[in-house]
Every structure is written in C-alpha cells, then in structure tokens.
Amino acid sequence: MTDTTIRRYTSERETEEEQTEDEAESLVCPECGGSLLSDSERGETVCEDCGLVVEEDEIDPGPEWRAFDSKEKDQKSRVGAPTTNMMHDKGLSTNIGWQDKDAYGNSLSSRQREKMQRLRTWNERFRTRDSKERNLKQALGEIDRMASALGLPENVRETASVIYRRALDEDLLPGRSIEGVSTASLYAAARQAGTPRSLDEIANVSRVGKDEIARTYRYVVRELSLEIQPADPESYVPRFASDLDLTEEVERRARQLLQNAKQEGVHSGKSPVGLAAAAVYAASLLTNEKVTQSEVSEVANISEVTIRNRYHELLEAEDSVHP
C-alpha cells in the first residue's frame, strides 16, 4: 500500500469520525444536554427540557399540496398505492389498464388493441409464476367477493388475507378446498374484528357447505393458535336494528335486555345470533316500534321458533333483575 493511499484512507477515516461526532452532538441540546424534539408544524427543532430552538426554517419533507378527502389525496399523490395483503403479489406488480387509449386519451387502432390484449394476457400469466401464487390469487379473490357480499370493511378483508397466507405457509391446505379455507379465514377475521357474521350468513355467500366451513374453521383456529373470543350477542344488535329501520332507543333497550340476560346467565350455551334477534324483537315491542317475528327472522336468518323461545327467556331474566 503506497503512502498516498494510506494518507487518503486516514483522511477518510477522520472525516467519518468527525461526521459521527457531529451527528451525536446534534441529537442533544448544546445548552443543557437535553433531548431534542422536531416540531414539523413550525419547522423547528427544540429542546424538550429548556425549550431552546436549536434549528428553525427546516425543510418540510411532506407534500406541497393539500387534500380535503381521500379521493382528492389519491388524485394528487404522485406515488402508487401502498402494499396490501389482499393481493397475491401485495400490489407490487404492474397492471395494464383495460381502457384502449393512449397517454393522450386517444383511442387505439384495431391492430394496437389486439396487441394490448395479448400483452394483458401474458402479463396476467407472468404475475402468477407458480401453483402457490395461483392458489393465493384464487383464494384472495374469493375473500374479497364474500366480504363485499357481507358488507365487511377493508380491515376484515386484510386480516382474512393474512390468516389465509399463514395457513398456506403452515401447509394447512392439503386435503382441504381453497374455498373452504378462505371462507374459514374470513369468518375468523370478522369475529376477531368485532363485526361477526353468523355461520348461516357466511354459508349463504360461500361456495362450500356450512358443515365444511365449521370444520375447517375449527382446524385453522387450532393450528394457527388464533385467539378468538366467543361472539358477543350485542355486536349483532346494531346491524339488525339498522336493517329493520329501528331507532337508537330500540338498540339501547336491546343491549340492556342482553346485559340482564348475561347477569342471569341465560346466554350460556345459546346462539348469540338468536339472542340478539330476540332482544331486538322484544325491545321493539317494549318501545312501541313493533316489528313482526318474520321480519326479524328474515334479517337475522334464523327461525321464528328460536326468536320466540329466546324472547320469553329474555323477559324472564328482565323480571328477575328488575322485579
């Protein structure tokens, strides 16, 4: 190693050490040695202890535009969508738009349209490189379809996608259908998020039977060690009341009936959907906003006999708590 090389190496080391020392000093207050806090609204760096303004007129790394709703934010943003577990490639691959127009908005010629269609086909094939990705793509499509039919929010779809990915990674799929595991994942995610749907409602939008869903759900929960609390009857009340166009008073009274039932232990071993439906029916009668048993039965997707049985039990529990 020549003298020139050694001197250059020594100089670079000294420069790096000086930069490290400067960075360490910049993290503490030069006056009192306290920790510094960056105030992005005022563009200042201040000491938390003595209040000294160490730096001002800082560069704002945020956008130079303002947006007042999510739609406007998406339009003004100059970056792509965030990654999501709801797509098999997490949204990182490219898509060829379905509109047959160029960058200026002009329609493409017939030859160009044929070319773009071939490119779309090949692009779609390249996005799913192996059987595992094809499996994932089909399952996530099923989850999205069922969640849309059930009116479940995006956070539930995201959670269901994560549960399905875990099941795939843990090799739980062999011997079970893709539809069965994806339905079980959505059912589990809805219960975890506190927006449960009954097994009958899930089965109505699924491509597999109720028994297979229940069996696969128990298997997935056990193998993945998911912590899922028993469904609370009160979590069904707002949806039933909304579907029946009932007031806030009915909803509040139904919750009260269910709380009294819990206090008396009536809810133990009973279907939470049946209890919630009966509570809504009883509350509507008690508040003079009458609905029929058949209407409640249709909304809750349970039999009128179940509503009648739970209805009497709820009223008995009410009398026991408030004699």
Side-chain angles (χ1 to χ4, degrees):
M1 189 180 289
T2 64
D3 292 342
T4 308
T5 308
I6 292 170
R7 282 198 299 273
R8 188 186 302 127
Y9 177 73
T10 306
S11 176
E12 288 174 356
R13 285 290 302 273
E14 288 173 353
T15 306
E16 288 176 4
E17 287 173 3
E18 287 174 4
Q19 287 176 347
T20 307
E21 288 174 4
D22 291 341
E23 287 174 4
E25 287 175 4
S26 66
L27 295 175
V28 296
C29 175
E31 287 286 331
C32 68
S35 56
L36 299 180
L37 181 69
S38 180
D39 187 345
S40 58
E41 287 187 9
R42 296 179 177 82
E44 296 173 347
T45 300
V46 297
C47 175
E48 285 186 298
D49 297 333
C50 67
L52 175 71
V53 178
V54 178
E55 197 173 341
E56 59 183 350
D57 298 329
E58 295 176 358
I59 296 172
D60 182 8
E64 80 287 358
W65 42 262
R66 292 194 301 167
F68 300 97
D69 55 41
S70 58
K71 185 178 179 182
E72 189 178 357
K73 185 178 179 182
D74 291 339
Q75 286 173 343
K76 290 185 175 181
S77 177
R78 287 187 287 277
V79 295
T83 56
T84 172
N85 283 300
M86 292 188 290
M87 297 179 72
H88 72 282
D89 52 13
K90 297 194 175 181
L92 295 173
S93 63
T94 55
N95 260 337
I96 300 176
W98 56 269
Q99 299 97 335
D100 288 321
K101 293 183 179 180
D102 62 14
Y104 301 100
N106 300 322
S107 297
L108 300 178
S109 64
S110 59
R111 186 183 294 274
Q112 286 287 348
R113 282 200 299 270
E114 289 175 10
K115 180 181 178 181
M116 293 308 296
Q117 189 56 47
R118 285 198 301 274
L119 286 172
R120 285 192 197 98
T121 302
W122 280 108
N123 183 57
E124 199 63 30
R125 289 174 182 170
F126 285 133
R127 285 181 70 192
T128 50
R129 291 184 296 275
D130 52 32
S131 60
K132 187 176 179 181
E133 285 200 359
R134 283 195 295 274
N135 175 321
L136 196 55
K137 184 179 179 183
Q138 182 184 342
L140 297 182
E142 277 293 291
I143 288 172
D144 192 53
R145 179 188 66 79
M146 291 185 289
S148 296
L150 292 167
L152 290 169
E154 192 169 316
N155 66 308
V156 175
R157 304 179 195 203
E158 192 86 32
T159 305
S161 303
V162 172
I163 292 172
Y164 188 89
R165 284 175 185 275
R166 283 188 59 195
L168 192 60
D169 292 338
E170 297 282 335
D171 206 26
L172 305 184
L173 269 293
R176 287 167 182 80
S177 66
I178 294 172
E179 290 84 359
V181 179
S182 58
T183 307
S185 300
L186 184 63
Y187 182 50
R191 290 186 63 171
Q192 275 189 333
T195 54
R197 296 293 184 268
S198 68
L199 205 54
D200 289 317
E201 287 177 297
I202 293 282
N204 284 342
V205 298
S206 177
R207 300 184 198 276
V208 293
K210 185 177 172 182
D211 292 340
E212 185 181 340
I213 296 170
R215 188 168 57 250
T216 309
Y217 166 75
R218 287 193 296 269
Y219 175 72
V220 168
V221 168
R222 185 177 67 251
E223 293 297 317
L224 297 181
S225 302
L226 300 176
E227 293 184 5
I228 299 177
Q229 300 296 327
D232 188 350
E234 288 186 45
S235 59
Y236 292 93
V237 170
R239 185 159 55 89
F240 293 166
S242 174
D243 290 345
L244 292 163
D245 293 326
L246 297 171
T247 62
E248 184 74 27
E249 187 184 357
V250 175
E251 190 177 323
R252 189 168 55 251
R253 192 73 179 85
R255 289 180 186 277
Q256 190 180 343
L257 285 168
L258 289 170
Q259 286 164 7
N260 292 335
K262 286 179 191 175
Q263 192 175 328
E264 290 296 303
V266 173
H267 70 295
S268 181
K270 306 290 195 309
S271 164
V273 182
L275 281 169
V280 169
Y281 174 67
S284 68
L285 296 180
L286 293 170
T287 54
N288 294 319
E289 291 187 42
K290 295 181 181 178
V291 292
T292 63
Q293 289 179 8
S294 62
E295 288 173 332
V296 178
S297 169
E298 188 175 343
V299 165
N301 201 22
I302 57 169
S303 69
E304 293 180 35
V305 176
T306 303
I307 294 174
R308 280 195 292 273
N309 292 339
R310 299 293 92 82
Y311 165 76
H312 292 301
E313 291 169 3
L314 288 172
L315 291 183
E316 286 172 10
E318 176 89 351
D319 293 336
S320 301
V321 174
H322 303 291

